[in-house]
Every structure is written in structure tokens, then in C-alpha cells.
Amino acid sequence: MDGPVPELTAHATACADRLRDADRVLLASHIDADGLTSAGIASTALERADIPFETVFCRQLDEAAVADIAATDYDTVLFTDFGSGQLDIVADHEAAGDFHPVIADHHQPADGVETEHHLNPLRFGLDGATELSGAGASYVLARALEPEGGDNRDLAALAVVGAVGDMQDSNGELHGANAGIVAEGVEAGVVEEGTDLRIYGRQTRALPKLLQYATDVRIPGISNNEAGAIEFLTELDVPCRDDDGEWKRWVDLTGDERQTLASALMRRAIASGVPANRIDDLVGTTYVLTEETEGTELRDVSEFSTLLNATARYDRADVGLAVCLGERDRALDRARRLLRNHRKNLSNGLRWVKDNGVTVEENLQWFDAGDEIRETIVGIVAGMAVGTDATRHGIPVLAFAKKEDGEVKVSSRGSYVMVKNGLDLSAVMREASRAVGGDGGGHDVAAGATIPNGEVETFIAEADRIVGEQLA
Ligand code: C5P
Ligand code: C5P
Ligand code: C5P
Ligand code: ZN
């Protein structure tokens, strides 16, 4: 078997064999959409392989979290969507005989250490920020874990949600190893790939809200403008309301009607002077989970991933995992309630950044939200602020927020253009945080750290210096 990602197949087989040799496994994963889907994939695969396991989630795999894991009496630990960045800590525990680690991750590995069962695309010449997510690495492992005659390709649906949750489709579609996983999902009949409007909310949002909230590509008179969005829809030769006069959603329109609406939107964008390359971003490749009910958050991979972030980032990873595992009643209701709260927090957070502005240094810009934005979502808000007029174009954004324990969380976001010019935020976060007694890591384009209270200024100066070196 070649496997969905041939470069990783041999190593995935070795990792799967090691898991089969275990009496039982502790599965540890990260609290975001990619981490939850990773756990959903890994736990389903372990169950199908008849390997007993228990699942735990951590906000960040720091020394204390690894020590907690070491204190359990599990001899084998499967880390998904984290573990690589903390390979030094994990390896120390392995050397001490605390547990044997198997890792399926895609973050930048800590320097100068390696462990035997470490499945990470970066070790095999693939890009961990754009070509394979934690859920993708877990999927490769799940394929290797298939029992005789088994077929885990249905899990490709969750792998696509994880990749999109980490924004690996931000250039318009999934590519590299991710494309191989999409192909397996299509073969298995769980994923459908198409070309469509790339606006968030195609399954669940009423048309005016869909257009009004679509701010990734700003269309003057429609974006952030309810009356404008309604007027635009009313003037179209498309029935945008149902028989009861209720607004339809994108999924309620026929193919022809969608086409008409999309074309009108593009004409309007052109007429309003939106640059051609931005207009191209309005349409792109979309992924639909065909087994899920039409008109639900679960059918669209992007809405699914936001639903998952709304659970785990608010200490309800159990709810998100249950949804990943197919629970469609209580867990889904609960997740939807959490989603309303999450959306409100994201929108309040973005407004706070706009109202308070950012401070521009030589090579980066930053804002400190203190207690105003929850530390578990400050990175999402920073990502949403990039590309709006709240931030300056061309330099990365650093965001700070207070953690419950009094330490400070840092999130950073850049763009692929900056990465091409040498930016590696993972190195910036790791080096600048270690310089002030903290720790961090992540990806070149998006990374984070935790630092002691009182070190923000020194950290910014250090980060500014490192970014300057990278972009020189
Ligand atoms: O844990 P980690 O891999 O999950 O998180 C990835 C984070 O990086 C996500 O918040 C994702 O949105 C962000 N990201 C980004 N821009 C990209 C790629 C990832 O903001 N181009
Ligand atoms: O963790 P990461 O940065 O990927 O999270 C980005 C999330 O923010 C996406 O899942 C997306 O649903 C959400 N978002 C949103 N509205 C926007 C932009 C992003 O809800 N306009
Ligand atoms: O938390 P945030 O969304 O900013 O995280 C961005 C990326 O940085 C994620 O991939 C996350 O796993 C990573 N990160 C890290 N160490 C930290 C904080 C974040 O590796 N202390
Ligand atoms: Zn991830």
C-alpha cells in the first residue's frame, strides 16, 4: 500500500506497530479544531484496531502538562497535533522511562532531539504549515492502523476539517499531502470537492448575513452593511426568499441561482474598484462533507472547524470530540450554543482591536488585550485582524492576553508573502520567549508563546530584532 502520503507510509507503519504492541494507550491532543479532529481520527482508529485507550486534552503541552501525563500509569502515549515542539521535554521523560511516546504532529520540532516514533511531515520534506495538519498526520497513522480488511478512509472527512481549521487552504485550496487525503475522502464518498463562492457560512447563514459578514474580500456597500446587502439581493433576478418570506441560505439556491448571484457579486466588486487578485479570492475550491445533513454546520468543513473551536477553546473539548465521533443530538446542541458565544467573542475581540489600535515597531506591530480577549482565542482574533484596516500591511502582528495563572499568552500571525521573504514566526516565538524565561513555537506563518508577566516589553524588543534579521 502506498498510503495517502507516500513519503510517510513506512514511518506510519512503524508507529502503528508500536501502538499495537501496547496494552493500552493514553491519547493526548490539542484544544483546537485540528487537535479535536486529530483526536477523533486517532480514537476511532484505535478503537477499530482493538487497542484500549483513554483521551485527554491540553491547552499547551508545556513541562507541567507533560509531567502530568508522565504521572499517569500509561506506558504508551500517543500525542496528536502537538508533541514535536516539545520533543526535548518528551524525550527526557522517555529517557527516564516514564512513557514511550508516539507523535503525530506537524509543528516545528524542537532542535537537536529526535524520538523513534515521531510522525511529522517536516521530517520528510513536507511543509507542516500548508501541506499536512495534525489531523492529516493522524489520518496517515489511522490508515496504517487499519486491521485486516478494514478501511479508515471515511476518516478523511475529519482530516479535511482539521486542515481547513488550521487555514491550510488559505491560498484557495488544499494542496500537497492534503490533496492526497481529499482524494481518498472523495473515493470513500465522504468528501465532495467543488468550485464555489468562498464565503464563510454557505450552509447556515441567511443570504444577507452571508454577504454582510463576508469581510475577507471587502465589497464596498455590502460588507458590514446590512441594508446594502439586502438591497443588492433584492435587485437580483434570483428568488432570495422562500414562500414564507424568509431569507434563503446559499445551500437553498439552485446551481444556476448561485451562479447568477456570484457573477453579480463579482461585477459589483469590480465596479467598486476591488483589485482583480482580491476578486479572484471570492471563488475557489470548497469541501463538503456529503454524509452530513445539508444546511448544518457539519456539512461545510470551514463551519465545522469553527464549531469545534467554539467547544475546545472554552474548556469543552469533550463536546467537540463527541461531535467528531458522530454524536448528533445533545453534543451538537451544546456545541451550537457554545458557537453563538464564540462568534460574539470573536466579533467583540475584533472590534476591541479596531477601537484600540496596534502599536507599530520597526519590524512588527502588536496589541495587548489584557483581560479583554480570552487567551485561547486571541490568536484567532489576531488572524482576523491581519488584512483589515486595523493593522498595517506587510509586517506580522503580535497579540498579548492575560492567562488565568497570571502569565502572558502571545499569538503571532504573518502572511505567506512575509514567509517567502524569510519570516519564521515559530523561531521568533521560541527564541524571544526563551530569552525572557518563557517558551513557544508553532509554524512559520502562525505561532505562539507563553511568557512571564512583566516581560512583554523585553519580549517585543527581542521579537522585533529577530524579525528584522529574518526579513533583512
Ligand atoms: O496549533 P496550531 O497548528 O493549530 O494552530 C494553527 C493556527 O495557525 C490556527 O489558528 C490557524 O488559523 C493559524 N494559521 C493562520 N494562517 C495560516 C495558517 C495557520 O493564521 N496561513
Ligand atoms: O484558529 P484559526 O485562526 O484557524 O481560526 C480562524 C477561525 O475564525 C475560522 O475557523 C473561521 O471560522 C473564523 N472566522 C470567522 N469569521 C471571519 C474569519 C474567520 O468566523 N470573518
Ligand atoms: O495559540 P495560537 O493560535 O496563537 O497558536 C498558533 C500556533 O502556535 C499553534 O500552532 C500553536 O500550537 C503554536 N503554539 C506553540 N506554543 C505556544 C503557543 C502556541 O507552539 N506556547
Ligand atoms: Zn494543528
Side-chain angles (χ1 to χ4, degrees):
M1 182 189 91
D2 260 358
V5 184
E7 296 90 333
L8 269 58
T9 304
H11 196 58
T13 303
C15 293
D17 289 343
R18 180 60 185 78
L19 291 170
R20 279 195 208 92
D21 286 343
D23 295 332
R24 54 188 197 137
V25 171
L26 182 63
L27 167 60
S29 197
H30 195 203
I31 56 141
D32 66 359
D34 192 27
L36 282 174
T37 48
S38 297
I41 291 167
S43 56
T44 305
L46 289 169
E47 194 165 304
R48 289 176 184 172
D50 267 328
I51 302 169
F53 67 97
E54 190 186 346
T55 310
V56 294
F57 289 93
C58 313
R59 269 191 191 185
Q60 214 60 63
L61 194 65
D62 51 19
E63 261 171 61
V66 185
D68 285 346
I69 288 170
T72 66
D73 46 14
Y74 283 88
D75 295 330
T76 304
V77 181
L78 170 56
F79 295 95
T80 57
D81 195 35
F82 55 24
S84 298
Q86 305 75 17
L87 210 55
D88 43 356
I89 305 172
V90 170
D92 283 348
H93 281 281
E94 180 182 20
D98 294 337
F99 57 76
H100 185 89
V102 179
I103 301 170
D105 190 11
H106 66 134
H107 292 97
Q108 285 290 344
D111 290 332
V113 257
E114 195 49 275
T115 59
E116 191 182 351
H117 298 108
H118 177 209
L119 189 65
N120 185 321
L122 292 156
R123 283 185 75 191
F124 301 91
L126 307 180
D127 183 353
T130 60
E131 296 186 317
L132 198 70
S133 66
S138 303
Y139 176 78
V140 173
L141 179 62
R143 293 282 279 135
L145 270 171
E146 279 169 11
E148 194 68 37
D151 186 355
N152 280 341
R153 288 178 308 168
D154 58 327
L155 301 176
L158 287 177
V160 175
V161 174
V164 169
D166 268 10
M167 296 185 48
Q168 299 203 333
D169 65 339
S170 57
N171 77 343
E173 64 179 345
L174 291 173
H175 64 277
N178 280 321
I181 297 179
V182 170
E184 292 204 341
V186 172
E187 271 167 35
V190 294
V191 176
E192 204 172 83
E193 195 175 9
T195 302
D196 205 346
L197 201 62
R198 269 172 58 97
I199 293 186
Y200 181 87
R202 286 185 306 274
Q203 292 290 328
T204 61
R205 280 187 177 164
L207 287 169
K209 294 240 178 303
L210 180 80
L211 299 185
Q212 172 195 344
Y213 292 149
T215 48
D216 283 350
V217 180
R218 286 185 50 78
I219 303 176
I222 294 179
S223 304
N224 292 320
N225 185 336
E226 186 181 6
I230 290 177
E231 191 184 330
F232 168 80
L233 291 166
T234 310
E235 285 170 359
L236 277 184
D237 194 17
V238 169
C240 291
R241 294 179 192 260
D242 65 17
D243 295 342
D244 300 324
E246 298 289 337
W247 287 106
K248 292 182 183 173
R249 301 161 302 186
W250 184 255
V251 287
D252 300 321
L253 302 178
T254 65
D256 283 349
E257 290 166 351
R258 289 179 197 177
Q259 190 85 51
T260 306
L261 203 163
S263 305
L265 199 61
M266 291 173 91
R267 276 199 307 279
R268 172 68 173 267
I270 294 166
S272 319
V274 177
N277 63 335
R278 299 297 289 153
I279 290 172
D280 287 344
D281 292 345
L282 274 170
V283 173
T285 305
T286 56
Y287 306 93
V288 164
L289 303 190
T290 49
E291 303 274 85
E292 303 294 346
T293 310
E294 193 151 277
T296 66
E297 295 84 356
L298 307 176
R299 181 126 172 140
D300 179 90
V301 293
S302 180
E303 294 193 62
F304 197 154
S305 82
T306 304
L307 184 78
L308 294 178
N309 276 323
T311 65
R313 290 178 188 262
Y314 299 82
D315 298 322
R316 292 311 304 268
D318 57 318
V319 174
L321 180 61
V323 172
C324 287
L325 295 178
E327 210 197 289
R328 290 291 175 269
D329 297 324
R330 272 199 19 212
L332 184 54
D333 278 350
R334 182 84 200 121
R336 282 178 171 147
R337 261 177 285 149
L338 288 162
L339 178 60
R340 281 195 287 277
N341 172 57
H342 179 51
R343 303 212 69 89
K344 197 180 71 211
N345 289 342
L346 288 183
S347 124
N348 289 346
L350 194 58
R351 174 142 18 87
W352 188 90
V353 177
K354 286 183 173 161
D355 289 349
N356 291 274
V358 298
T359 306
V360 178
E361 307 290 341
E362 212 167 315
N363 304 300
L364 56 80
Q365 56 198 321
W366 59 274
F367 64 87
D368 186 348
D371 291 320
E372 298 292 327
I373 302 177
R374 199 180 157 90
E375 55 108 347
T376 54
I377 64 162
V378 75
I380 300 182
V381 174
M384 290 168 74
V386 171
T388 68
D389 45 21
T391 58
R392 186 175 292 194
H393 196 72
I395 51 173
V397 177
L398 268 54
F400 299 87
K402 251 289 170 30
K403 294 178 54 147
E404 281 161 9
D405 59 10
E407 292 201 304
V408 177
K409 166 70 194 288
V410 194
S411 281
S412 59
R413 297 291 187 271
S415 73
Y416 289 120
V417 177
M418 300 175 205
V419 168
K420 224 183 276 159
N421 292 332
L423 182 74
D424 178 359
L425 289 172
S426 162
V428 175
M429 290 293 114
R430 179 160 299 136
E431 289 167 26
S433 65
R434 289 192 173 175
V436 299
D439 201 8
H443 309 289
D444 47 16
V445 73
T450 298
I451 58 173
N453 194 13
E455 295 290 351
V456 170
E457 245 175 78
T458 317
F459 177 86
I460 291 171
E462 190 60 12
D464 191 41
R465 185 186 65 74
I466 301 170
V467 174
E469 276 175 18
Q470 291 180 347
L471 295 178

